Amino acid sequence: MPGYLLALPGAIDPMVMAALASGTFLTSASAQTMNQIIEIERDAKMYRTAQRPLPSGMMSVQEASRFSMATGAIGLGILTAGATPATAAIAGTTILTYAGIYTPLKVLTPTTPMSVGAISGALPTVLGFTAALGTGLVTSPWMAHAAWLFTMQVLWQMPHFYALAWIHRADYLRGGYNMFPLSDSTGLATAAMSKPYLVALCAMPCAASALGLASWMLPVGAAVPSFLWWRSLRRFEDKPNPLSCRRFFLGSLAYLLATLGLFTAYARVETEKEGDEAQHSLGDRARHAYLEPEWRAALAARLTEFCPHEQVRSDLFGLLGGSCPFSSARHEPGGENVLRLLVAARLDQHDLCFLRYIVCVVVRRGARAQSNCITSVHIATL
């Protein structure tokens, strides 16, 4: 869904969104059912899966097969007719890689299954982009964003699954699986294997902004979920036990949801400005405009009045006229130099709003500290 909300060329089409959501749900149900049909004997041996419909006898294999074929066919049909054929093709590839490759490999090798499963689990992130652009995604400026989102999802799934497998390692061994975390009795190897992925995931928002794929507000916003997830990893590393590992696992879910939301809010495409305006710009960066979804631009316009900077600025700078160096940079002496620096840093109006708020808070705290200092000196002289 983030891909569709970002790449759609015009207004949001509720019918396409409904087709994308329902088609993805049905094809996912088909893949999961195929997985459970293949693993029915192993599921029966595991405590956490023994009560599923197939191993518990609530549903027969024939019924599950019919359900899987029906949901798969209907889901692919909805994606083809309601979205684009390219979207259906990716969903079909996801089903094949998940049920046909990933599931059988889980009992054969300790590391390969997770890599294949990560790719299969990341393919749905591309569905939204193809629903908006079809095969045109390949030549679209949003292709890099789709690649970023896919890569992030692949990397994220590795520590996410490591944590899940280590928590239930006894159950997985009982079911006859052969995966890396199951041989790690202490949890230290699982934590060590997870760390490189978290380092890469923490760096990805900065990379996206540096490459012009998103505003610098993306790494600013992602700093909090990244820190919280990293902290849960360190606690699991220091005291590896089911509780700390479960918190690490839940932290992965929080990180994913936050990152998807932030990427949807701040991803953008850099484009060239047209007309004479570019000739009078302040440096190369000012020659660029930013392409963003229509719905997001409209939402930003409506929420401008709630901007915290504007509230602080009216209180702090209201009597000072145009003294704010950010808002008056185009008109005040020396303001052009400030603008040059900000434009060179790829900062847009959302970033400047955030920076103005920070400056206002710093100035207010400085004024308060100076007032406290003057009061202390006055008392000392009494």
Side-chain angles (χ1 to χ4, degrees):
M1 196 61 73
Y4 176 73
L5 293 175
L6 283 173
L8 78 168
I12 294 176
D13 188 339
M15 297 302 294
V16 175
M17 284 190 67
L20 181 60
S22 58
T24 302
F25 175 81
L26 288 171
T27 52
S28 175
S30 176
Q32 293 289 342
T33 305
M34 292 181 186
N35 172 75
Q36 293 187 34
I37 291 174
I38 297 172
E39 295 185 331
I40 182 172
E41 294 183 1
R42 291 191 288 274
D43 283 350
K45 300 176 182 178
M46 299 171 58
Y47 296 141
R48 61 186 292 265
T49 58
Q51 296 305 313
R52 287 178 175 177
L54 283 171
S56 64
M58 297 173 59
M59 178 181 289
S60 66
V61 174
Q62 292 76 17
E63 292 172 329
S65 300
R66 288 195 294 269
F67 175 81
S68 176
M69 288 186 291
T71 53
I74 295 173
L76 292 175
I78 290 175
L79 290 174
T80 302
T84 63
T87 307
I90 293 176
T93 303
T94 304
I95 294 175
L96 291 176
T97 54
Y98 184 81
I101 302 177
Y102 166 66
T103 298
L105 283 177
K106 286 195 290 185
V107 295
L108 299 178
T109 60
T111 56
T112 304
M114 287 176 283
S115 301
V116 176
I119 294 174
S120 177
L123 282 173
T125 60
V126 187
L127 296 178
F129 289 98
T130 56
L133 302 172
T135 54
L137 172 64
V138 178
T139 57
S140 165
W142 293 104
M143 181 62 192
H145 299 74
W148 187 93
L149 205 58
F150 175 83
T151 303
M152 185 276 295
Q153 188 85 356
V154 169
L155 294 175
W156 171 84
Q157 286 185 90
M158 303 304 285
H160 171 78
F161 182 76
Y162 286 161
L164 179 66
W166 193 81
I167 292 172
H168 300 287
R169 61 190 185 281
D171 225 10
Y172 278 114
L173 287 171
R174 192 179 296 109
Y177 290 95
N178 182 22
M179 295 177 289
F180 153 68
L182 307 186
S183 60
D184 178 22
S185 59
T186 64
L188 296 177
T190 301
M193 283 286 287
S194 299
K195 192 172 293 185
Y197 294 101
L198 263 72
V199 171
L201 287 166
C202 290
M204 284 198 70
C206 293
S209 298
L211 293 172
L213 304 181
S215 157
W216 280 100
M217 287 303 297
L218 175 62
V220 171
V224 173
S226 298
F227 168 76
L228 294 176
W229 194 17
W230 183 266
R231 186 178 65 175
S232 67
L233 172 61
R234 291 302 304 271
R235 289 180 175 176
F236 170 53
E237 186 178 34
D238 293 339
K239 296 182 179 180
N241 55 61
L243 178 60
S244 61
C245 191
R246 188 175 299 278
R247 288 175 177 170
F248 174 52
F249 172 79
L250 295 175
S252 70
L253 298 176
Y255 172 89
L256 178 65
L257 293 175
T259 303
L260 290 176
L262 289 166
F263 192 71
T264 304
Y266 295 116
R268 65 192 183 188
V269 169
E270 198 174 83
T271 60
E272 290 287 339
K273 286 184 178 179
E274 297 180 356
D276 295 337
E277 182 183 353
Q279 303 301 322
H280 302 286
S281 61
L282 302 174
D284 293 336
R285 289 298 175 199
R287 294 193 181 98
H288 296 283
Y290 297 106
L291 174 66
E292 63 178 349
E294 188 176 294
W295 66 268
R296 200 172 71 186
L299 180 62
R302 289 191 177 187
L303 295 179
T304 299
E305 59 183 291
F306 301 105
C307 171
H309 159 257
E310 297 300 331
Q311 301 296 327
V312 176
R313 182 187 171 196
S314 64
D315 295 337
L316 191 61
F317 293 110
L319 299 177
L320 301 179
S323 62
C324 178
F326 297 101
S327 60
S328 59
R330 293 184 183 272
H331 308 290
E332 295 296 324
E336 183 175 321
N337 293 330
V338 175
L339 185 60
R340 285 181 187 275
L341 293 174
L342 297 178
V343 169
R346 293 178 180 265
L347 300 177
D348 65 1
Q349 58 182 352
H350 303 296
D351 302 322
L352 295 180
C353 177
F354 176 78
L355 287 175
R356 289 196 297 260
Y357 174 69
I358 295 298
V359 169
C360 290
V361 171
V362 171
V363 171
R364 171 172 284 183
R365 288 185 177 179
R368 186 176 301 166
Q370 183 179 9
S371 176
N372 293 337
C373 180
I374 293 173
T375 303
S376 300
V377 172
H378 177 68
I379 293 175
T381 58
L382 293 179

